[in-house]
C-alpha cells in the first residue's frame, strides 16, 4: 500500500501520494459585505484584446452566450445585495436585463495554516518562497453568491437567468480587496467569477443549463493542438461553428463585435 503524505507537509502537492487536507476557515460574510463594496468586481470589464464581455454556453448544445453587466449598485441597507443591469447576446440577438447578485457566503481561510511551524516546516525546501506564493495565501477569501437576471417579460423568447456565482478574492498588504486568481490555478479547479445555473423562457417552465466566466470554462476546453488549455471551439467542428464559436486563421472568434451591449 502506498504511503500517505500529509498535504500540509507535502512540498510536491501534485505527486500521486498527495492527500488534500481542508484548510480552516471563518465565515466573514457580514463583515466583508459591510466593509467592502464589491460592485467593481461584478461589473463587466473592457479588455483591449477582447472587449466583448464574459463568454459562456447556453444549453447542452454549447450555444455561445455573451453576458455584460454594465451597471452595479449596492443596496444602502442590505450590504450583501447588489442591483445590476446589463445585456446578453445569443445568435446576434441582444437583450437587456435587470436583476441582482446577493453574496450568500464568504469564507476567509487561514493564510498561515499551510506554513506554520505547528503544522509543518517548509523553509528547508529551496523552492519554499515560490511554493508558498501559489497556495492558499493567494486566494484568501472564497465567496458564493446567488444571482437572478430578468429580461423584459414582454419580449419574444425572453426569460430569466438564475443560479450561483463563485469567486475568490484576496486581501493585499494594505487590506485592499484584489482579484488576483491566475490561469495556473485553473489546474486545481479555480475559475474566478463563474456564473452557473439555468435560463428559463417565460411561460415555458423549461430550464436550460447556462454557464459563463471571465476565464475559459471546462465545457469549452480540450486538447485541440494547443495544449491542455486550448479551447474546444478552436477545432472549428461543425457543431461548434453552428453554435457561434467559429474562429479565423489567427484563432480569433469571427463573430466578435465590439461594444455589442451598448444601445445604438
Amino acid at each position: 500500500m502506498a504511503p500517505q503524505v500529509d498535504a500540509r507537509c507535502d512540498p510536491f502537492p501534485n505527486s500521486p501520494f498527495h492527500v488534500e487536507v481542508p484548510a480552516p476557515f471563518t465565515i466573514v460574510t457580514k463583515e466583508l459585505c459591510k466593509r467592502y463594496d464589491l460592485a467593481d468586481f461584478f461589473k463587466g470589464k473592457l479588455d483591449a484584446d477582447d472587449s466583448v464581455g464574459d463568454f459562456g454556453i447556453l444549453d447542452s448544445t454549447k450555444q455561445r452566450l455573451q453576458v455584460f453587466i454594465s451597471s452595479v449598485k449596492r443596496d444602502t441597507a442590505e450590504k450583501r445585495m447588489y442591483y445590476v443591469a446589463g445585456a446578453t447576446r445569443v445568435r446576434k440577438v441582444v437583450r437587456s436585463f435587470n436583476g441582482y447578485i446577493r453574496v450568500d457566503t464568504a469564507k476567509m481561510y487561514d493564510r498561515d495554516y499551510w506554513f506554520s511551524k505547528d503544522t509543518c516546516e517548509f523553509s528547508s525546501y529551496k523552492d519554499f518562497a515560490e511554493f508558498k506564493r501559489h497556495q492558499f495565501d493567494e486566494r484568501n477569501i472564497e465567496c458564493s453568491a446567488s444571482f437572478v437576471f430578468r429580461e423584459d417579460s414582454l419580449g419574444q423568447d425572453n426569460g430569466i437567468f438564475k443560479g450561483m456565482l463563485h469567486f475568490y478574492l484576496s486581501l493585499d498588504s494594505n487590506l485592499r480587496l484584489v482579484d488576483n486568481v491566475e490561469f495556473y490555478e485553473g489546474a486545481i479547479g479555480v475559475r474566478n467569477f463563474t456564473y452557473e445555473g439555468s435560463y428559463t423562457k417565460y411561460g415555458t417552465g423549461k430550464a436550460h443549463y447556462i454557464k459563463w466566466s471571465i476565464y475559459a470554462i471546462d465545457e469549452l476546453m480540450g486538447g485541440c493542438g494547443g495544449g491542455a488549455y486550448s479551447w474546444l471551439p478552436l477545432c472549428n467542428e461543425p457543431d461548434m461553428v453552428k453554435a457561434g464559436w467559429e474562429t479565423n486563421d489567427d484563432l480569433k472568434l469571427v463573430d466578435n463585435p465590439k461594444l455589442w451591449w451598448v444601445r445604438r
Side-chain angles (χ1 to χ4, degrees), residues 37-56:
D37 188 345
L38 307 183
D40 286 343
F41 293 110
F42 301 140
K43 191 177 300 183
K45 302 296 190 300
L46 291 177
D47 186 275
D49 296 324
D50 189 23
S51 57
V52 295
D54 292 347
F55 66 82

Side-chain angles (χ1 to χ4, degrees), residues 8-9 24 27 39 46 54 75 84 98 105 116 130 134 147 163 175-177 180 191 194 227 238 241 243 254-255:
R8 295 169 296 178
C9 300
I27 301 296
L46 291 177
D54 292 347
D75 189 283
V84 304
N98 289 277
T105 306
S116 67
E130 182 68 10
H134 286 279
F147 70 89
L175 296 183
R176 293 173 300 192
L177 272 183
N180 64 350
R191 291 291 186 271
T194 298
V241 170
V254 173
D255 180 20

Side-chain angles (χ1 to χ4, degrees), residues 5-10 18-19 21-22 113-115 119-122:
V5 179
D6 189 331
R8 295 169 296 178
C9 300
D10 184 6
H18 173 68
V19 177
V21 178
Y113 176 72
W114 296 97
F115 313 103
T119 307
C120 186
E121 180 54 69
F122 282 93

Side-chain angles (χ1 to χ4, degrees), residues 14-237:
N14 294 321
S15 74
F17 306 122
H18 173 68
V19 177
E20 191 66 41
V21 178
F25 60 83
T26 304
I27 301 296
V28 293
T29 314
K30 185 176 180 180
E31 299 92 321
L32 179 78
C33 293
K34 182 178 180 180
R35 180 170 183 177
Y36 297 99
D37 188 345
L38 307 183
D40 286 343
F41 293 110
F42 301 140
K43 191 177 300 183
K45 302 296 190 300
L46 291 177
D47 186 275
D49 296 324
D50 189 23
S51 57
V52 295
D54 292 347
F55 66 82
I57 59 174
L58 173 63
D59 205 40
S60 58
T61 61
K62 300 179 184 177
Q63 176 67 44
R64 184 181 175 200
L65 166 68
Q66 293 171 263
V67 181
F68 192 85
I69 299 176
S70 56
S71 68
V72 184
K73 184 177 181 181
R74 181 168 64 165
D75 189 283
T76 56
E78 184 56 67
K79 301 298 185 181
R80 66 181 184 136
M81 180 72 75
Y82 293 81
Y83 302 107
V84 304
T88 62
R89 183 176 182 269
V90 177
R91 289 195 176 97
K92 301 182 180 181
V93 177
V94 178
R95 297 185 172 95
S96 60
F97 65 78
N98 289 277
Y100 68 82
I101 297 173
R102 182 187 65 219
V103 180
D104 296 321
T105 306
K107 301 176 182 178
M108 177 171 283
Y109 288 93
D110 183 352
R111 285 175 177 266
D112 300 320
Y113 176 72
W114 296 97
F115 313 103
S116 67
K117 291 183 178 180
D118 293 338
T119 307
C120 186
E121 180 54 69
F122 282 93
S123 59
S124 60
Y125 295 105
K126 62 179 182 179
D127 296 327
F128 170 72
E130 182 68 10
F131 177 64
K132 180 175 180 179
R133 190 173 73 84
H134 286 279
Q135 295 299 307
F136 269 104
D137 56 337
E138 277 205 344
R139 43 188 192 279
N140 190 37
I141 304 172
E142 178 183 4
C143 299
S144 295
S146 306
F147 70 89
V148 174
F149 299 163
R150 297 183 178 89
E151 296 173 337
D152 181 357
S153 61
L154 300 179
Q156 183 178 3
D157 293 329
N158 283 8
I160 181 172
F161 294 83
K162 63 193 311 184
M164 296 298 298
L165 163 62
H166 196 77
F167 59 99
Y168 292 83
L169 296 172
S170 297
L171 290 172
D172 66 12
S173 59
N174 295 313
L175 296 183
R176 293 173 300 192
L177 272 183
V178 295
D179 169 16
N180 64 350
V181 175
E182 302 292 345
F183 271 112
Y184 65 82
E185 293 177 273
I188 55 174
V190 175
R191 291 291 186 271
N192 221 23
F193 292 93
T194 298
Y195 295 76
E196 187 168 13
S198 64
Y199 176 72
T200 305
K201 290 183 181 180
Y202 294 125
T204 66
K206 184 178 180 180
H208 300 270
Y209 173 68
I210 55 167
K211 188 175 184 180
W212 73 86
S213 172
I214 194 172
Y215 294 138
I217 58 179
D218 295 340
E219 288 83 348
L220 296 175
M221 305 292 264
C224 301
Y229 292 104
S230 59
W231 286 16
L232 180 61
L234 297 185
C235 296
N236 272 346
E237 297 176 355

